[in-house]
């Protein structure tokens, strides 16, 4: 397993005002798996993603990703872990507005110490002709593809996506999901959190969260569907 969470609890606050965003979560993901974490707002989805990606730390339990135990890691160890092990794709894209598409991807290359060519990575997501465009000159779907290219350029084995289609129209969202599926096919572990149950139909596994607890973990109901069969 490339992602291993054992008895993970995450609490915010102290004493009587303490709230458990995650409660005794156990999750195991293998390389090459496309896993969708499904649940309503407030169920703990983003907290789970942040704990896996070391943007937040668990209060209790063990978190091991890419062979590294990050449960009690120092700030420097967590920084090194994020550079070498995980890549993030956010709903809001989080591109640098003053950098071109190529420069945004180059930032990911430099941050991870990768040797990937930004132009080639952008070509792989269909943006080979948009290298010198700034984010405001790109559509929402194109901006998200730049964000995916930046994540791919790191070469990291774990890809974490937080509502990656939430700001996109249906057709563009389907294109993004196809790109994410390709990454799992190439051997990366892809973990997508969403409230959109339709997206879970194309997952290898669906993990359902409710009030910080895993209440389901298994194949999609009715069997795995093709991206072309999705609708919302």
């Amino acid at each position: 397993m490339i992602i291993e969470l054992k008895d993970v609890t995450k609490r915010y606050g102290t004493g009587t005002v303490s709230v458990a965003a995650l409660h005794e979560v156990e999750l195991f993901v293998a390389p090459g798996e496309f896993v969708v974490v499904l649940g309503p707002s407030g169920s703990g989805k983003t907290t789970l993603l942040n704990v896996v990606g070391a943007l937040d730390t668990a209060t209790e339990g063990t978190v091991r990703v890419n062979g590294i135990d990050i449960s009690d890691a120092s700030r420097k160890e967590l920084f090194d872990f994020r550079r070498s092990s995980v890549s993030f794709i956010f709903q809001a894209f989080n591109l640098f507005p003053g950098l071109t598409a190529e420069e945004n991807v180059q930032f990911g290359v430099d941050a991870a110490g990768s040797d990937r060519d930004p132009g080639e990575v952008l070509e792989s997501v269909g943006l080979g002709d948009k290298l010198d465009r700034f984010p405001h000159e790109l559509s929402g779907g194109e901006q998200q593809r730049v964000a995916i290219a930046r994540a791919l350029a790191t070469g990291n084995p774990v890809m974490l996506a937080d509502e990656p289609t939430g700001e996109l129209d249906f057709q563009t969202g389907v294109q993004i999901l196809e790109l994410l599926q390709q990454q799992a096919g190439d051997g990366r572990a892809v973990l997508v959190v969403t409230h959109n149950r339709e997206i879970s139909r194309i997952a290898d596994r669906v993990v359902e969260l409710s009030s910080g607890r895993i209440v389901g973990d298994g194949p999609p109901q009715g069997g795995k569907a093709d991206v072309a069969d999705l609708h919302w």
Side-chain angles (χ1 to χ4, degrees), residues 149-227:
R150 184 174 60 189
L152 295 179
T154 66
N156 292 341
V158 176
M159 185 169 289
L160 307 174
D162 190 357
E163 298 282 6
T165 65
E167 297 290 336
L168 306 176
D169 62 83
F170 169 73
Q171 194 58 47
T172 304
V174 165
Q175 293 172 1
I176 298 304
L177 292 172
E178 287 177 331
L179 285 170
L180 292 176
Q181 272 197 326
Q182 288 172 14
Q183 302 320 305
D186 289 341
R188 289 183 175 87
V190 178
L191 194 63
V192 176
V193 303
T194 183
H195 68 278
N196 188 344
R197 183 169 293 275
E198 185 70 5
I199 291 174
S200 70
R201 295 178 60 210
I202 65 169
D204 297 317
R205 281 169 53 208
V206 181
V207 175
E208 296 204 47
L209 276 179
S210 178
S211 300
R213 298 176 184 269
I214 291 181
V215 296
D217 186 349
Q221 188 174 10
K224 185 175 179 179
D226 293 329
V227 175

Side-chain angles (χ1 to χ4, degrees), residues 57-179:
T57 55
T59 308
E60 301 171 15
T62 301
V63 181
R64 191 175 183 86
V65 181
N66 196 28
I68 303 169
D69 189 336
I70 58 174
S71 309
D72 297 307
S74 67
R75 290 183 65 181
K76 183 183 185 306
E77 288 170 335
L78 292 176
F79 176 78
D80 292 340
F81 162 80
R82 287 190 293 268
R83 286 184 58 188
S84 65
S85 298
V86 295
S87 300
F88 295 91
I89 301 167
F90 300 99
Q91 178 178 352
F93 314 142
N94 287 354
L95 300 178
F96 295 102
L99 300 181
T100 64
E102 185 174 24
E103 290 167 341
N104 266 283
V105 176
Q106 184 66 55
F107 179 87
V109 169
D110 294 342
S114 170
D115 60 359
R116 300 290 301 275
D117 179 88
E120 290 181 0
V121 181
L122 284 164
E123 180 72 37
S124 74
V125 299
L127 293 176
D129 59 342
K130 303 289 177 68
L131 304 186
D132 59 350
R133 299 289 181 88
F134 291 93
H136 73 272
E137 298 176 311
L138 300 171
S139 69
E142 289 170 339
Q143 290 183 57
Q144 188 63 294
R145 277 188 276 169
V146 174
I148 290 177
R150 184 174 60 189
L152 295 179
T154 66
N156 292 341
V158 176
M159 185 169 289
L160 307 174
D162 190 357
E163 298 282 6
T165 65
E167 297 290 336
L168 306 176
D169 62 83
F170 169 73
Q171 194 58 47
T172 304
V174 165
Q175 293 172 1
I176 298 304
L177 292 172
E178 287 177 331
L179 285 170

